[in-house]
């Protein structure tokens, strides 16, 4: 029997959901945020990238929440971290003069200069997360118990999380060094921060996910304690009918079933479903073996993930793999 993760996701302050494009990062981030809020935590789910997908999952018909964010359910706030808004906010705090800074940021040659600079988006975004994580209520309690980040798809090149470490070693002093050090400390504190990779049960992801996990742990120094394998096909025939195709193949080939094709055709259909299911299950296992991490399988939902009811289903499965909370 393989052992599960040791620390609950919901006991961290920052959960960064990542993975290849289209694996279900946004759905998983929204489901985890949902679960946290349901458990009474004050949750902020922060989406990155140019479009907003989270709000409509949490609240049907929701209008965009933008950089300012909005509370969509009790204790559950969503926002989109746009790096230009974040840098404008940062520079306003550091230098002052919002109107002037916004004008400079809109100035095309400056934007081109900025866009050519590597890593600033990552750094400014992580800096904003650090700032959100530090925010306190009047009582001194943190403003958010849990920050869930829907991180950009992992592609080639440097990972989103590696920028602070690189900056800390490249820039020896000054505010950039100082701020990057804070961000790096937040990322590499395992009691605080965990990365949650999301993969699909297919051949390539098995290999890519193990490479991602190794890089995150060894290069970035961030904790990864489980892998979500999303859209896993459920057993197709129910208990007691695991080998339905074989049962069908044993039927008299001449048998006429009212309104149904010949037993041979039914057996072929069932055989196809079973092999799809078994292949899917084998890749789930392989992802576990290759990464050496506990796997959290989430079911394939025939209608996709479109709203709160679907999030609730995914949340139940995420919850089932949470270790009991330490007393
Ligand atoms: N468990 C699931 N069962 C069925 N469909 C799913 C499941 N999870 C996600 N989907 C669907 O797959 C598509 C991609 O999901 P999602 O947007 O969450 O992925 P993503 O990794 O955030 O994608 P992107 O890289 O484009 O941001 C969506 O249409 C979503 O509804
Ligand atoms: Mg997404």
């Amino acid at each position: 029997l393989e052992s599960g993760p040791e620390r609950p996701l919901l006991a961290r302050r920052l959960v960064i959901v990542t993975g290849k494009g289209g694996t279900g990062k946004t759905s998983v981030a929204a489901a985890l945020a949902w679960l946290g809020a349901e458990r009474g935590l004050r949750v902020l789910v922060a989406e990155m990238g140019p479009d907003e997908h989270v709000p409509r999952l949490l609240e049907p018909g929701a209008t965009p929440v933008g950089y300012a964010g909005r509370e969509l359910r009790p204790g559950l706030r969503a926002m989109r971290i746009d790096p230009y808004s974040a840098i404008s906010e940062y520079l306003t705090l550091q230098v002052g003069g919002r109107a002037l800074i916004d004008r400079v940021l809109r100035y095309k040659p400056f934007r081109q200069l900025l866009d050519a600079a590597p890593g600033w988006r990552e750094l400014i975004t992580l800096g904003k997360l650090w700032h959100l994580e530090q925010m306190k209520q009047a009582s001194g309690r943190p403003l958010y118990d849990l920050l869930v980040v829907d991180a950009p798809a992992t592609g080639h090149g440097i990972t989103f999380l590696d920028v602070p470490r690189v900056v800390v070693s490249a820039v020896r002093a000054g505010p950039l060094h100082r701020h990057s050090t804070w961000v790096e400390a937040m990322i590499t504190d395992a009691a605080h921060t965990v990365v949650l990779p999301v993969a699909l049960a297919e051949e390539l992801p098995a290999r890519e996910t193990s490479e991602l996990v190794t890089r995150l742990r060894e290069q970035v120094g961030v904790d990864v304690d489980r892998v979500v394998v999303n859209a896993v096909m459920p057993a197709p025939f129910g208990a007691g009918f695991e080998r339905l195709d074989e049962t069908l193949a044993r039927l008299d080939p001449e048998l006429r079933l009212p309104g149904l094709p010949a037993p041979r055709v039914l057996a072929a259909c069932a055989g196809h479903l079973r092999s799809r299911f078994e292949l899917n299950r084998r890749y789930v296992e392989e992802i576990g073996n290759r990464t050496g991490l506990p796997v959290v399988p989430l079911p394939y939902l025939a209608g996709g993930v479109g709203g709160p009811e679907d999030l609730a289903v995914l949340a139940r499965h995420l919850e089932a793999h949470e270790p009991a909370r330490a007393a």
Side-chain angles (χ1 to χ4, degrees):
L1 196 83
E2 72 178 60
S3 59
E6 281 171 20
R7 233 190 239 120
L9 290 173
L10 296 181
R12 320 277 181 135
R13 295 290 313 284
L14 176 59
V15 179
I16 300 167
V17 182
T18 191
K20 298 280 285 188
T23 52
K25 297 176 296 297
T26 300
S27 305
V28 170
L32 181 64
W34 171 279
L35 178 62
E38 206 184 50
R39 291 270 197 92
L41 301 176
R42 271 157 322 192
V43 183
L44 176 72
V45 52
E47 192 167 1
M48 293 158 90
D51 308 307
E52 289 192 17
H53 299 285
V54 168
R56 271 164 297 160
L57 293 179
L58 296 171
E59 181 191 280
T63 52
V65 295
Y67 188 69
R70 198 167 70 235
E71 187 164 89
L72 293 174
R73 309 179 59 82
L76 178 44
R77 193 177 177 88
M79 75 176 292
R80 183 174 76 84
I81 301 186
D82 158 48
Y84 290 97
S85 303
I87 201 169
S88 162
E89 184 186 40
Y90 175 79
L91 293 174
T92 306
L93 289 170
Q94 297 292 314
V95 188
R98 179 84 194 217
L100 173 67
I101 283 161
D102 280 343
R103 210 156 68 228
V104 171
L105 285 172
R106 274 199 303 272
Y107 181 54
K108 207 170 162 206
F110 183 81
R111 255 183 112 112
Q112 283 166 347
L113 193 70
L114 200 59
D115 288 343
W120 75 266
R121 284 183 202 75
E122 289 81 357
L123 196 59
I124 204 76
T125 302
L126 289 166
K128 174 64 178 174
L129 287 173
W130 178 84
H131 187 244
L132 287 164
E133 201 266 335
Q134 299 290 306
M135 285 171 83
K136 302 269 192 292
Q137 297 173 298
S139 65
R141 263 188 80 180
L143 186 57
Y144 301 109
D145 301 309
L146 176 69
L147 267 64
V148 181
V149 179
D150 180 9
T154 48
H156 13 265
I158 199 160
T159 68
F160 157 68
L161 293 167
D162 206 26
V163 173
R165 185 187 63 85
V166 172
V167 172
V168 166
S169 57
V171 186
R172 289 284 165 204
L176 192 56
H177 176 85
R178 205 162 57 243
H179 295 170
S180 302
T181 305
W182 295 338
V183 170
E184 195 196 6
M186 170 182 77
I187 292 171
T188 54
D189 177 357
H192 245 74
T193 303
V194 69
V195 170
L196 186 63
V198 181
L200 296 173
E202 290 163 5
E203 189 179 352
L204 267 164
R207 196 164 57 236
E208 287 164 349
T209 306
S210 69
E211 282 162 13
L212 173 69
V213 169
T214 306
R215 220 169 53 213
L216 285 168
R217 293 168 125 182
E218 289 172 9
Q219 185 177 332
V220 181
V222 66
D223 190 28
V224 186
D225 71 349
R226 73 196 83 185
V227 175
V228 169
V229 182
N230 188 28
V232 176
M233 195 177 161
F237 312 125
F241 293 100
E242 283 78 9
R243 295 180 166 267
L244 180 64
D245 53 316
E246 291 173 358
T247 311
L248 290 168
R250 281 195 299 271
L251 289 177
D252 174 3
E254 301 307 318
L255 185 66
R256 289 285 159 263
L257 298 159
L260 289 173
R264 178 181 52 80
V265 177
L266 294 177
C269 289
H272 180 70
L273 282 176
R274 179 155 73 91
S275 64
R276 284 286 308 273
F277 164 69
E278 285 176 354
L279 193 65
N280 220 224
R281 200 175 51 184
R282 194 154 74 238
Y283 288 127
V284 173
E285 222 168 85
E286 194 178 324
I287 290 172
N289 290 339
R290 281 195 184 236
T291 57
L293 288 172
V295 166
V296 179
L298 300 182
Y300 172 76
L301 305 180
V305 179
E309 324 73 50
D310 304 318
L311 296 184
V313 174
L314 299 183
R316 290 284 79 79
H317 284 81
L318 289 170
E319 188 178 40
H321 290 263
E322 284 279 80
R325 264 165 196 274

